Amino acid sequence: MLGSLASHMTEQGITTTQKGCCCACDKPIVGQVITALGRTWHPEHFTCSHCNQELGTRNFFERDGKPYCEPDYHNLFSPRCSYCNGPILDKCVTALDKTWHPDHFFCTQCGNTFGDDGFHEKDGKPYCRDDYFNMFAPKCGGCNSPIMENYISALNAQWHPECFVCRDCKQSMRKKQYYAVDNKPVCPDCMGVSDSDEDED
């Protein structure tokens, strides 16, 4: 049919030149041609390898020498967000052996995204610094707040150094002798014991 069309056009004084062979149908291309992926195609044969829609002059992606429309390429090959399972098209956070949209990588407890402090992990879940320490850090025997740095271990508890004080007079008990009363340190003065009484023991 194409051969007779070409001869009919020649009779009319219109010259046609073959622009190659379509790699999809293996027939000569006369008229519009698409050159992509190092091959030539009839426009109607340059289609997405997954959905078969014509790609024409639209953006397309190549994978293993095959063309894909943009939506199919992302759905098939882009990394998936661990939170929403959607394809990640732009910026990507990789953490905890998973990928995330930046807006979907947030604290499991409060839902805030992570700033310069980064995140802490517990049982494969990300937490901001404050929630991590509030939920999982040991609590001070004096103020019951999380211990995040240095601590004193005494009376079967851990203490912020500034919280390890006499229960009654609030003087520091660091590097001093004390008595244990209801699991709290009490200095000798508040116990009514003088230094001379201690020396006699």
Side-chain angles (χ1 to χ4, degrees):
M1 180 174 165
L2 284 177
S4 64
L5 176 63
S7 64
H8 182 67
M9 290 175 75
T10 304
E11 291 171 7
Q12 299 292 322
I14 301 170
T15 58
T16 59
T17 56
Q18 185 174 322
K19 297 177 181 172
C21 239
C22 177
C23 68
C25 68
D26 207 27
K27 297 209 187 301
I29 301 172
V30 177
Q32 286 189 334
V33 63
I34 290 183
T35 302
L37 307 175
R39 295 173 281 180
T40 54
W41 317 70
H42 288 112
E44 65 273 14
H45 292 159
F46 185 57
T47 59
C48 173
S49 294
H50 185 70
C51 70
N52 294 319
Q53 285 195 356
E54 285 185 32
L55 294 172
T57 58
R58 295 188 305 165
N59 289 341
F60 72 93
F61 290 84
E62 177 268 336
R63 176 88 176 222
D64 299 327
K66 297 176 182 176
Y68 291 88
C69 66
E70 198 168 350
D72 283 343
Y73 181 85
H74 289 304
N75 282 328
L76 293 168
F77 305 115
S78 290
R80 313 286 300 176
C81 176
S82 182
Y83 177 73
C84 71
N85 201 35
I88 300 173
L89 309 181
D90 194 13
K91 293 181 181 177
C92 176
V93 173
T94 302
L96 306 173
D97 296 325
K98 299 174 184 174
T99 54
W100 317 73
H101 290 112
D103 292 345
H104 290 165
F105 186 58
F106 49 79
C107 175
T108 301
Q109 183 66 20
C110 70
N112 291 332
T113 55
F114 304 110
D116 293 336
D117 285 340
F119 70 96
H120 297 268
E121 179 268 336
K122 177 77 172 175
D123 299 327
K125 296 177 181 175
Y127 294 89
C128 67
R129 183 178 195 270
D130 290 342
D131 285 334
Y132 179 84
F133 283 111
N134 283 332
M135 294 172 70
F136 305 115
K139 304 298 186 272
C140 175
C143 69
N144 205 34
S145 294
I147 296 176
M148 298 190 245
E149 294 180 10
N150 297 333
Y151 64 91
I152 295 171
S153 185
L155 302 172
N156 295 320
Q158 294 164 344
W159 308 74
H160 294 114
E162 63 274 11
C163 293
F164 192 63
V165 296
C166 173
R167 177 193 71 180
D168 298 334
C169 70
K170 307 300 182 207
Q171 287 186 19
S172 174
M173 292 286 92
R174 292 173 64 186
K175 300 181 183 177
K176 293 183 181 175
Q177 291 184 341
Y178 59 86
Y179 294 91
V181 178
D182 298 327
N183 285 328
K184 302 284 182 191
V186 178
C187 70
D189 288 343
C190 290
M191 286 293 293
V193 179
S194 67
D195 289 338
S196 61
D197 291 342
E198 289 178 355
D199 291 339
E200 291 175 8
D201 289 345

